[in-house]
């Protein structure tokens, strides 16, 4: 079975070698982001596996289908970069990745702690030998209420971890499940009104796009801390900036950022980055931004690659896979 893998990072290569042997796949590996210009590389391949930097639109899906591609997998949990409606319309199966939620949940807790203990400001001071304390007055997690938007696997694991801190935990989700062991489900208005920290763990779709905007922020506590380890476009960047400037938002912990494509996961140290909103937001002392790396652990990367290959092999051999969308 011939498969082409786009956007291959160096840390993925050993896993591709291992799983290619395990599943009997003939692999073509490239670090290129999938586009119409390089779609011809998939000629003769039955499967295509990607990451999240490319826009897999209708035209590109049609081209893959014309070239003989029979299945596409994204080595990410999110799949908003794929035109799923068109993929279904042309009968091209798509699978996403599956990995344990621990890494992302732990990362969300780390961002919470960095924000409530003013780590960024403390780090900046230390760089110039300023070891003063004023302005670094922190809070303890056990005295706070944490709201979790989205209680799927990651949100549930986050609630489980937070329960060890002794804090009050609220949850909101259309579907209530196992997370009720560690949190209290409530309506969205109550979660916004009573939470000191709000962590977002939702899929990005038409309903959740800019869910955290000016209206939602206005309904939150003064000084609320917002955490996003999911998808950048769940939060309206301009609303976040306004919230920080007006001191409605007390802190931001962002592992993802709206319009991060072409920036995150790339080395652009010697280039001019044309993204004023990003530059302005990241300069605030109470905003911590990291390069979409909450997922980035040895276990998760291995599972992402495995899903990328196994998903294609399973769909083509049996017509199904555990993450078939």
């Amino acid at each position: 079975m011939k498969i082409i893998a786009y956007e291959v990072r160096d840390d993925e290569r050993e896993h591709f070698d291992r799983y290619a042997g395990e599943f009997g796949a003939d692999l073509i590996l490239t670090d290129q982001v999938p586009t119409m210009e390089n779609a011809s590389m998939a000629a003769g391949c039955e499967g295509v596996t990607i990451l999240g930097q490319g826009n897999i639109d209708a035209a590109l899906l049609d081209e893959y289908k014309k070239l003989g591609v029979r299945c596409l997998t994204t080595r990410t949990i999110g799949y908003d970069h794929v035109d799923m409606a068109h993929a279904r319309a042309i009968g091209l199966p798509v699978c996403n990745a599956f990995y344990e939620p621990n890494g992302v949940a732990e990362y969300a807790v780390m961002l919470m702690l960095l924000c409530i203990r003013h780590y960024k400001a403390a780090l900046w001071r230390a760089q110039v030998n300023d070891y003063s304390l004023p302005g670094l007055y922190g809070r303890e997690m056990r005295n706070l209420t944490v709201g979790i938007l989205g209680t799927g696997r990651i949100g549930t694991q986050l609630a489980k971890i937070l329960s060890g801190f002794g804090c009050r935990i609220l949850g909101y989700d259309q579907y209530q499940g196992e997370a009720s062991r560690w949190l209290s489900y409530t309506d969205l208005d109550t979660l916004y009104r009573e939470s000191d920290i709000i962590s977002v763990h939702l899929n990005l779709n038409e309903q959740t796009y800019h869910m955290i905007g000016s209206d939602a922020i206005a309904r939150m506590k003064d000084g609320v801390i917002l955490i996003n380890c999911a998808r950048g476009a769940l939060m309206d960047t301009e609303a976040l900036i306004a919230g920080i400037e007006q001191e409605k938002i007390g802190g931001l912990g962002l592992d993802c950022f709206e319009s991060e494509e072409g920036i995150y996961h790339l080395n652009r140290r010697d280039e001019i980055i044309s993204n004023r909103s990003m530059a302005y937001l990241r300069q605030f002392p109470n905003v911590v931004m990291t390069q979409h790396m909450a997922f980035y652990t040895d276990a998760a990367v291995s599972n992402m690659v495995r899903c990328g290959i196994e998903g294609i092999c399973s769909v083509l051999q049996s017509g199904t896979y555990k993450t078939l969308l």
Side-chain angles (χ1 to χ4, degrees), residues 263-290:
I263 301 175
Y264 282 178
H265 298 180
L266 300 174
N267 179 359
R268 299 193 57 186
R269 72 178 71 182
D270 298 320
E271 302 175 36
I272 301 298
I273 297 177
S274 179
N275 192 314
R276 295 186 182 186
S277 294
M278 177 184 179
Y280 187 58
L281 188 58
R282 68 191 297 268
Q283 57 85 32
F284 289 112
N286 56 345
V287 175
V288 177
M289 297 177 70
T290 56

Side-chain angles (χ1 to χ4, degrees), residues 21 23 73 78 103 136 144 238 261 289 308:
F23 295 106
T73 60
L136 303 182
L144 304 179
E238 295 308 311
E261 295 79 10
M289 297 177 70

Side-chain angles (χ1 to χ4, degrees), residues 94-146:
V94 179
C95 304
N96 65 340
F98 174 96
Y99 52 85
E100 294 303 317
N102 305 63
V104 177
E106 291 168 4
Y107 203 91
V109 173
M110 180 191 75
L111 290 178
M112 293 177 193
L113 293 171
L114 292 179
C115 288
I116 66 174
R117 299 308 301 269
H118 305 292
Y119 173 76
K120 181 178 178 181
L123 178 65
W124 280 5
R125 292 186 192 184
Q127 301 304 317
V128 293
N129 290 336
D130 177 357
Y131 303 106
S132 60
L133 291 177
L136 303 182
Y137 207 49
R139 290 182 287 174
E140 297 182 17
M141 191 79 84
R142 65 192 175 100
N143 296 323
L144 304 179
T145 296
V146 180

Side-chain angles (χ1 to χ4, degrees), residues 78-280:
Y79 48 89
D80 50 283
H81 53 297
V82 181
D83 186 337
M84 288 301 303
H86 191 72
R88 294 186 184 103
I90 64 175
L92 183 62
V94 179
C95 304
N96 65 340
F98 174 96
Y99 52 85
E100 294 303 317
N102 305 63
V104 177
E106 291 168 4
Y107 203 91
V109 173
M110 180 191 75
L111 290 178
M112 293 177 193
L113 293 171
L114 292 179
C115 288
I116 66 174
R117 299 308 301 269
H118 305 292
Y119 173 76
K120 181 178 178 181
L123 178 65
W124 280 5
R125 292 186 192 184
Q127 301 304 317
V128 293
N129 290 336
D130 177 357
Y131 303 106
S132 60
L133 291 177
L136 303 182
Y137 207 49
R139 290 182 287 174
E140 297 182 17
M141 191 79 84
R142 65 192 175 100
N143 296 323
L144 304 179
T145 296
V146 180
I148 301 175
L149 290 180
T151 58
R153 297 174 65 251
I154 294 173
T156 296
Q157 181 64 23
L158 175 59
K160 183 179 180 180
I161 294 172
L162 287 173
S163 67
F165 285 86
C167 53
R168 178 184 179 221
I169 311 170
L170 301 178
Y172 173 81
D173 200 304
Q174 185 177 359
Y175 306 102
Q176 300 183 9
E178 182 189 6
S180 60
R181 295 173 56 187
W182 300 286
L183 57 74
S184 299
Y185 279 104
T186 187
D187 60 272
L188 196 54
D189 279 331
T190 300
L191 186 144
Y192 284 161
R193 185 177 62 252
E194 299 187 5
S195 297
D196 300 290
I197 303 172
I198 297 175
S199 192
V200 183
H201 300 279
L202 298 163
N203 289 324
L204 177 62
N205 52 45
E206 292 181 0
Q207 288 71 44
T208 60
Y209 175 77
H210 280 186
M211 182 175 181
I212 305 299
S214 56
D215 177 66
I217 292 169
R219 291 146 63 191
M220 296 176 187
K221 271 188 175 184
D222 291 345
V224 66
I225 290 172
L226 300 179
I227 306 295
N228 189 358
C229 293
R231 285 292 182 270
L234 292 168
M235 296 184 172
D236 181 343
T237 302
E238 295 308 311
L240 295 180
I241 290 173
I244 290 288
E245 289 179 331
Q246 297 161 11
E247 299 186 17
K248 176 69 176 182
I249 297 174
L252 287 174
L254 304 178
D255 184 51
C256 48
F257 178 75
E258 191 175 16
S259 70
E260 70 185 43
E261 295 79 10
I263 301 175
Y264 282 178
H265 298 180
L266 300 174
N267 179 359
R268 299 193 57 186
R269 72 178 71 182
D270 298 320
E271 302 175 36
I272 301 298
I273 297 177
S274 179
N275 192 314
R276 295 186 182 186
S277 294
M278 177 184 179
Y280 187 58

